[in-house]
Amino acid sequence: MAGSRPCKVRGPAGGEASGYGERPGGRESGAVRHMPEYPEYLTAVVFAVGGVVNAVLAPHRFSTAVLFCLAVTSAGLGVASRSAAAHPAIATVLTVAALLVAFALGLLLLADGVLLVRRYGPQAALLATGGAGFALLAVLGLDAVFHAVGGEAFGALVVAVNATAGYLTLLFLVFAGYAFVRGRRTPLPGTTHVVVLGAGLDGDRPGPLLTRRLERALAIDAARAPDTPGVVFVVSGGQGEDEVRSEADAMADYLRGRGVAADRIVREDRSVNTGQNLRFSAALVGDTHPGHRATVVTSCFHVYRTTLLARRVGVPVHVVGAPTSPAYWLAATLREFAAVLWLDRLPLVGLSMLLAVPVATAVFGH
């Protein structure tokens, strides 16, 4: 996030010093005297080493990204609290860059949320998108107020808010990169079965998201080598409380309408979430077709979380993504971001709480 104007704190002799808790020359308190000279950078190194270890031991866990984002945020706090006086040009460039990124993302989220609410109504995920954008812009407003009024306590608050907002923004951007890259994966060579994960219906027909998934599955079938058997489609989705039929039935009708023979369609109509989609579909295919090669089709923004869930439920699958409307991709990715954080909420929240260490050293440690 944006760099903030250094707050002033009273030194032991009553004088003032610039920087987030920076003390003037002379006698220091015992607590400060025994602290490392560059505590934020030391903390950043510890986080980075943890990220490398985690990447080796559990390369698919999102905790790796959390640790590296903590490392970058911690290093950024060190730069922000030390460079304003020593290297004003560098501090200015970094501050302007952070401001522009935060403003652009906040404005984009807010505009996207408003657009989608007007189009689809006040759904929770869409309201959350606009709310996230508003919150990011509100942080920039808080920075502007601090630059106008200053104050020690206010300055400490601004440092904490900026660090938290900057960390979450960086983490979301990293996750969006994960989602984008994973969403462009290609099907498994020699695919024998295509599992299509369910999504909402429009009346008794597949909705836009589900239609794109089905079209992606049909494209995989069409791209098979000549003179090879057609793939078997496994349509997976039960009946939601607000749906008039199961998603599996609606998908099967859609595929038959596109010329797929009924004996190439397997229905799994009991699942109500992604984990059940994967488990129940794997059981259906494994019991009847040993040695199969299955590709799972979902929306592009959903590929990464589906892969994580597959590993969690013990179903090794290859997941590919179907295209998503650009207007909906950002909101859907934000929802997936929250869902992935919730998936491993205890370790991820515990790691994220460690952000308090570099924040405290930036405010009080110099």
Side-chain angles (χ1 to χ4, degrees), residues 159-180:
V159 174
V161 170
N162 273 272
T164 302
Y167 163 68
L168 290 174
T169 298
L170 180 61
L171 198 59
F172 172 68
L173 292 174
V174 170
F175 178 82
Y178 272 45
F180 179 79

Side-chain angles (χ1 to χ4, degrees), residues 36-304:
E37 186 176 0
Y38 300 106
E40 301 96 331
Y41 299 146
L42 178 61
T43 306
V45 170
V46 172
F47 286 142
V49 170
V52 171
V53 172
N54 201 68
V56 172
L57 298 179
H60 300 286
R61 299 288 292 273
F62 194 60
S63 52
T64 299
V66 170
L67 285 164
F68 281 120
C69 287
L70 284 169
V72 172
T73 305
S74 184
L77 282 166
V79 171
S81 60
R82 300 171 188 279
S83 295
H87 305 286
I90 295 176
T92 299
V93 169
L94 293 176
T95 298
V96 170
L99 280 169
L100 290 175
V101 170
F103 180 74
L105 181 59
L107 196 62
L108 185 60
L109 286 168
L110 181 59
D112 195 47
V114 171
L115 173 66
L116 292 174
V117 166
R118 292 182 62 182
R119 180 179 299 178
Y120 301 110
Q123 302 175 24
L126 309 184
L127 292 172
T129 302
F134 179 81
L136 201 52
L137 295 176
V139 172
L140 299 181
L142 183 69
D143 290 341
V145 172
F146 172 66
H147 278 277
V149 303
E152 287 183 33
F154 195 11
L157 173 65
V158 167
V159 174
V161 170
N162 273 272
T164 302
Y167 163 68
L168 290 174
T169 298
L170 180 61
L171 198 59
F172 172 68
L173 292 174
V174 170
F175 178 82
Y178 272 45
F180 179 79
V181 172
R182 292 300 185 98
R184 298 172 68 86
R185 297 178 77 186
T186 57
L188 192 66
T191 292
T192 60
H193 290 69
V194 176
V195 180
V196 186
L197 302 189
L201 301 182
D202 183 3
D204 63 348
R205 295 181 169 185
L209 278 178
L210 189 49
T211 298
R212 290 189 177 94
R213 296 180 187 184
L214 291 164
E215 289 297 326
R216 180 75 166 105
L218 289 166
I220 294 173
D221 181 49
R224 70 187 188 281
D227 302 323
T228 58
V231 302
V232 175
F233 296 90
V234 181
V235 289
S236 177
Q239 181 176 347
E241 294 180 357
D242 59 344
E243 294 175 328
V244 299
R245 64 191 305 204
S246 72
E247 294 165 3
D249 287 344
M251 287 189 278
D253 286 351
Y254 184 93
L255 291 174
R256 285 201 305 271
R258 292 294 308 275
V260 179
D263 61 358
R264 293 175 55 204
I265 302 174
V266 177
R267 304 186 194 202
E268 184 289 294
D269 58 3
R270 297 184 297 129
S271 57
V272 295
N273 56 50
T274 303
Q276 291 182 1
N277 285 142
L278 296 167
R279 289 201 309 272
F280 297 164
S281 298
L284 279 175
V285 175
D287 289 344
T288 56
H289 297 83
H292 66 277
R293 293 175 66 83
T295 292
V296 175
V297 176
T298 185
S299 298
C300 60
F301 58 81
H302 191 228
V303 170
Y304 180 61

